[in-house]
Amino acid sequence: MSFADRFAAVGAAREALTGLAEAVHQCQGSDLGPAMGRLDVLRRLVEAAQVTVLGEGLERGEVASSTCSTAAGWVLEWAPSYRAGGTGDLVKVAQACIGKPVGAGAAQVLDHGSVQRVRSCVLAGRVRVRCAAVALTEMHKLGPRLTPAALPTVWEGFLAVAEEAGPREFRGLRERIIATHGRQDEFQVRQDRLRHGVSLSAGRADDGMVEYQLRLDPEGASVLEAAIGPLSAPNPVDGISDLRNSDQRRGDALVEACRRSTAAGEAPVQTKAQVFVTMDFESLRDACGSGTVLGAGGVHGNGTLLGPETVRRIACDAAVIPVVLGTQGEVLDLGRTRRLFSPAQLKHLWLRDGGCTIPGCAAPPWWCDGHHVIHWANGGATDVGNAALLCGRHHTIVHQRGWTATVAATGVTWHL
């Protein structure tokens, strides 16, 4: 069919759809489903056709030479329905389909083959414009963080997801993609940066209640979920159902966890939370890849990814029980008995170190963890001659920067 023939058919389709409500009562009930399916196909193809027309207008210079001068203005002039939204997505996808850089360079992460792939998927109506636009935005954000060799693979995966799912699924893949295909240390750097966003607002009185706003990084969220998960289960009493909703139970569980922590006093404890993290031994030893949280529950529980140095740091105490896996997935170590410092060893460190051992830090001993100077994954012994007290902040820094120390009977000397 020529363009003129196709354009005439579009006009006929418009005429056929106009007033459909007055004729739909004439169909059989069994025809309604197929009619809905056929209209859905048309909807996709109309979107694809608009991408085609806009792309042609951009390539020919029609858009640039128009009174609107911008692609968005040109779309709004000729397709006023886009005033309700969606213009940006249409322009972004049309520009990508003709290989033109989008905005700050969203399409620059795509090679020629990837451009042709998105073009064929969109123009065939298999990928909706909205999904394609979100995929392009994600590639724009992820591209500089990924290895160049991984870009085509990630893009193919995005298009496959776009054919079957919606925009939300793309954002859910972000952490795993960076962990698997990120540049050297990119995933760990990202998680370290997220720690700076942790916050708990001051309480705000609201009609007798007090409201807080809490933001946590993946590690903190996993620990919180592990702490309150078992305490937030429904608790029937004498056969009477627990009438609290999920949010009420979780709020009560958080208060109960704080109450128990306060009641425990300042004595060293061996078990802080039951969070299990799986990681293969080579990745843990070489500080690469990522660990996966298991069994914590909640939105930030099962499946949450943690950076390698994050796992190595929290493996120094009982905040996380590492499950170290072999090449066949077999369990090599499940919280090795002598991996964790005993209460007696921690008391010794309290007396010897007096608090955080980093020069200039005044954190008291009950704020500190026992740190393996030579990490246990690298053969370091769990004894006081290989131990140093570190506050949470400096514990993170030591693992990030790879600081080493010399331990003597009188204390610890850090080589900064």
Short mmCIF file of all heavy atoms in Angstrom, two decimals, residues 45 61 74 82 94 149 182 192 202 209 224 242 263 273-274 291 326 333 347 368 379 381 393 398:
data_model
loop_
_atom_site.label_atom_id
_atom_site.label_comp_id
_atom_site.label_asym_id
_atom_site.label_seq_id
_atom_site.Cartn_x
_atom_site.Cartn_y
_atom_site.Cartn_z
N LEU A 45 -0.62 0.29 17.39
CA LEU A 45 -0.14 0.65 16.07
C LEU A 45 -0.31 2.14 15.78
O LEU A 45 0.51 2.73 15.06
CB LEU A 45 -0.87 -0.18 15.01
CG LEU A 45 -0.53 -1.67 15.02
CD1 LEU A 45 -1.37 -2.42 13.98
CD2 LEU A 45 0.96 -1.91 14.77
N GLY A 61 13.48 17.81 8.59
CA GLY A 61 13.58 19.21 8.98
C GLY A 61 12.26 19.92 9.03
O GLY A 61 12.22 21.14 9.23
N TRP A 74 5.54 20.95 18.00
CA TRP A 74 4.97 20.44 16.75
C TRP A 74 3.94 19.36 17.04
O TRP A 74 2.86 19.33 16.43
CB TRP A 74 6.10 19.90 15.89
CG TRP A 74 5.71 19.59 14.48
CD1 TRP A 74 5.63 20.44 13.43
CD2 TRP A 74 5.37 18.28 13.97
NE1 TRP A 74 5.26 19.78 12.28
CE2 TRP A 74 5.09 18.44 12.58
CE3 TRP A 74 5.27 17.02 14.52
CZ2 TRP A 74 4.73 17.39 11.77
CZ3 TRP A 74 4.90 15.95 13.72
CH2 TRP A 74 4.63 16.15 12.35
N TYR A 82 -2.27 15.20 23.13
CA TYR A 82 -1.05 15.07 23.94
C TYR A 82 -0.92 16.19 24.97
O TYR A 82 0.00 16.17 25.80
CB TYR A 82 0.19 15.03 23.05
CG TYR A 82 0.46 13.64 22.51
CD1 TYR A 82 -0.01 13.26 21.26
CD2 TYR A 82 1.16 12.71 23.27
CE1 TYR A 82 0.22 11.99 20.77
CE2 TYR A 82 1.40 11.43 22.79
CZ TYR A 82 0.93 11.08 21.55
OH TYR A 82 1.15 9.82 21.07
N ALA A 94 10.85 8.79 19.47
CA ALA A 94 11.04 9.09 18.05
C ALA A 94 12.48 9.46 17.76
O ALA A 94 13.06 9.02 16.75
CB ALA A 94 10.10 10.23 17.64
N ALA A 149 30.85 -3.43 27.36
CA ALA A 149 30.46 -4.69 26.75
C ALA A 149 29.07 -5.14 27.19
O ALA A 149 28.41 -5.92 26.50
CB ALA A 149 31.48 -5.78 27.11
N GLY A 182 28.01 -3.74 36.45
CA GLY A 182 28.60 -2.44 36.74
C GLY A 182 30.11 -2.42 36.56
O GLY A 182 30.79 -3.45 36.60
N ASP A 192 27.61 2.83 49.28
CA ASP A 192 28.24 3.73 50.24
C ASP A 192 27.61 5.12 50.17
O ASP A 192 27.43 5.79 51.19
CB ASP A 192 29.74 3.82 49.98
CG ASP A 192 30.46 2.51 50.26
OD1 ASP A 192 29.89 1.67 50.98
OD2 ASP A 192 31.58 2.33 49.74
N ALA A 202 12.81 14.17 63.53
CA ALA A 202 12.31 14.37 64.88
C ALA A 202 10.81 14.12 64.89
O ALA A 202 10.12 14.30 63.88
CB ALA A 202 12.61 15.79 65.35
N MET A 209 -0.80 11.62 68.62
CA MET A 209 0.21 10.68 68.12
C MET A 209 1.48 11.46 67.77
O MET A 209 1.47 12.69 67.70
CB MET A 209 -0.30 9.94 66.88
CG MET A 209 -1.57 9.15 67.08
SD MET A 209 -1.34 7.77 68.23
CE MET A 209 -0.39 6.64 67.19
N LEU A 224 16.55 -3.75 59.89
CA LEU A 224 15.29 -3.38 60.51
C LEU A 224 14.24 -4.45 60.29
O LEU A 224 13.53 -4.85 61.22
CB LEU A 224 14.80 -2.04 59.95
CG LEU A 224 13.42 -1.57 60.45
CD1 LEU A 224 13.46 -1.27 61.94
CD2 LEU A 224 12.94 -0.36 59.67
N ASP A 242 -6.02 -11.43 66.23
CA ASP A 242 -5.31 -10.15 66.35
C ASP A 242 -5.93 -9.18 65.34
O ASP A 242 -5.83 -9.37 64.13
CB ASP A 242 -3.82 -10.35 66.05
CG ASP A 242 -2.99 -9.13 66.39
OD1 ASP A 242 -3.57 -8.03 66.50
OD2 ASP A 242 -1.76 -9.27 66.55
N ALA A 263 16.32 -2.52 77.47
CA ALA A 263 16.35 -3.37 78.66
C ALA A 263 17.62 -4.19 78.74
O ALA A 263 18.05 -4.59 79.83
CB ALA A 263 15.13 -4.29 78.65
N ALA A 273 20.98 -9.41 65.18
CA ALA A 273 19.81 -9.61 64.33
C ALA A 273 20.03 -10.87 63.52
O ALA A 273 21.15 -11.32 63.36
CB ALA A 273 19.62 -8.41 63.40
N GLN A 274 18.93 -11.44 63.04
CA GLN A 274 19.04 -12.65 62.25
C GLN A 274 18.82 -12.33 60.78
O GLN A 274 17.74 -12.52 60.22
CB GLN A 274 18.03 -13.69 62.74
CG GLN A 274 18.32 -14.19 64.13
CD GLN A 274 19.63 -14.96 64.20
OE1 GLN A 274 19.88 -15.83 63.39
NE2 GLN A 274 20.46 -14.63 65.16
N GLY A 291 26.24 -9.57 47.63
CA GLY A 291 25.59 -10.57 48.46
C GLY A 291 24.09 -10.38 48.41
O GLY A 291 23.60 -9.28 48.16
N GLY A 326 29.99 -22.37 47.80
CA GLY A 326 31.01 -22.87 46.88
C GLY A 326 30.55 -22.73 45.44
O GLY A 326 29.49 -22.18 45.14
N ASP A 333 30.24 -22.17 54.69
CA ASP A 333 30.35 -21.61 56.04
C ASP A 333 29.01 -20.97 56.40
O ASP A 333 28.48 -20.17 55.64
CB ASP A 333 31.45 -20.55 56.09
CG ASP A 333 31.59 -19.94 57.49
OD1 ASP A 333 30.82 -19.03 57.83
OD2 ASP A 333 32.47 -20.40 58.22
N LYS A 347 34.45 -7.82 76.02
CA LYS A 347 34.76 -7.14 77.28
C LYS A 347 36.24 -6.80 77.36
O LYS A 347 36.63 -5.72 77.82
CB LYS A 347 34.35 -8.02 78.47
CG LYS A 347 32.84 -8.16 78.64
CD LYS A 347 32.51 -9.11 79.79
CE LYS A 347 31.00 -9.27 79.93
NZ LYS A 347 30.64 -10.25 81.01
N CYS A 368 30.61 0.40 69.61
CA CYS A 368 31.59 -0.16 68.67
C CYS A 368 31.35 -1.63 68.37
O CYS A 368 30.71 -2.35 69.15
CB CYS A 368 33.01 0.02 69.23
SG CYS A 368 33.48 1.74 69.47
N GLY A 379 41.40 -15.59 56.24
CA GLY A 379 42.15 -16.42 57.17
C GLY A 379 42.46 -15.77 58.50
O GLY A 379 43.20 -16.34 59.31
N ALA A 381 42.28 -14.78 62.30
CA ALA A 381 41.78 -15.49 63.48
C ALA A 381 40.82 -14.62 64.27
O ALA A 381 40.92 -13.39 64.27
CB ALA A 381 42.95 -15.90 64.37
N ARG A 393 30.70 4.27 61.97
CA ARG A 393 31.19 5.13 60.88
C ARG A 393 32.59 4.71 60.45
O ARG A 393 32.86 4.54 59.25
CB ARG A 393 31.18 6.59 61.33
CG ARG A 393 31.82 7.55 60.34
CD ARG A 393 31.61 9.00 60.79
NE ARG A 393 32.36 9.92 59.95
CZ ARG A 393 33.59 10.33 60.20
NH1 ARG A 393 34.22 9.89 61.30
NH2 ARG A 393 34.22 11.16 59.40
N VAL A 398 37.01 1.96 57.24
CA VAL A 398 38.13 1.01 57.22
C VAL A 398 37.96 0.01 56.08
O VAL A 398 38.90 -0.30 55.35
CB VAL A 398 38.26 0.30 58.58
CG1 VAL A 398 39.14 -0.94 58.46
CG2 VAL A 398 38.85 1.26 59.61
#
